[in-house]
Amino acid sequence: MIYYLIGTIVIIVLLIGWVISTYNNLIRARELVRNAMGQISTQVESRWDALKNMIEGTKQYAEYEAKTLADITEQRSTLGQGAAVSDVNEDDRLFNQAMGKLFAVAESYPELKASQVYQDTLKNVDKYEQQVRQSRMIFNDTVTKYNRIIQTVPSNIIANLFHFTTETYFENSSNKTDMPSWS
C-alpha cells in the first residue's frame, strides 16, 4: 500500500513539474515573440526618424509640401512590443505614402534631390528598411517556434489551459515583393 502512495506522489510531483516546465517554456516563447516585435518597432522608429530629417530638409525648398509630409508623420502611432502585425502594416502604408509624396517633391525641386542631406537620408532610410525586413523575418521565425509549441501535444494542453493563442505572421503583400527603389 505504501508503494502505491509513494508511486502516486511521485507521479503527481512529476506531473506538476511537467506543467510548470511547459508553462515556463510557453512564457519564454511568447516573450521572444514580443521581443521580436519590439525589434521591428525600434527599426520602424529609426526609419521614421530618417524620414523626418528629410522632411526638415524639404522645408527650405517647399514649405507646403513639408507641412503635408509632417501631417502624415503625425498620423502614425508609435509601435511597441505589444503591436500587432496589422499595426505594423498600417505604419508601412503611412510610411510609403510619405515617401511617395517626398519623391514627388524631390522631382519638383531638382536642387533638393541633388542635395547631400537628401542623398544621405535616402541611404539611411534604405538601411532601416533593410533592417525592418530582417526583423520581420526574425519575427516570423520566432512566431513559428512559438506557434509550434502551443499546437503540439502535449504542450497544447497547457497552452489551452492557460489561454495561449497563436500569433500572426507577417506576409508579403503585392507591394512588398520587390525591394523598394529609393533613387
Side-chain angles (χ1 to χ4, degrees), residues 1-16:
M1 184 68 168
I2 190 83
Y3 294 115
Y4 291 119
L5 182 60
I6 292 173
T8 304
I9 291 172
V10 167
I11 290 173
I12 290 172
V13 167
L14 289 174
L15 185 61
I16 290 172

Side-chain angles (χ1 to χ4, degrees), residues 89 133 136 140 169-178:
N89 288 339
R133 186 170 276 104
R136 285 177 180 220
N140 279 350
Y169 293 95
F170 280 106
E171 296 180 9
N172 277 343
S173 61
S174 58
N175 62 347
K176 283 288 185 188
T177 55
D178 296 324

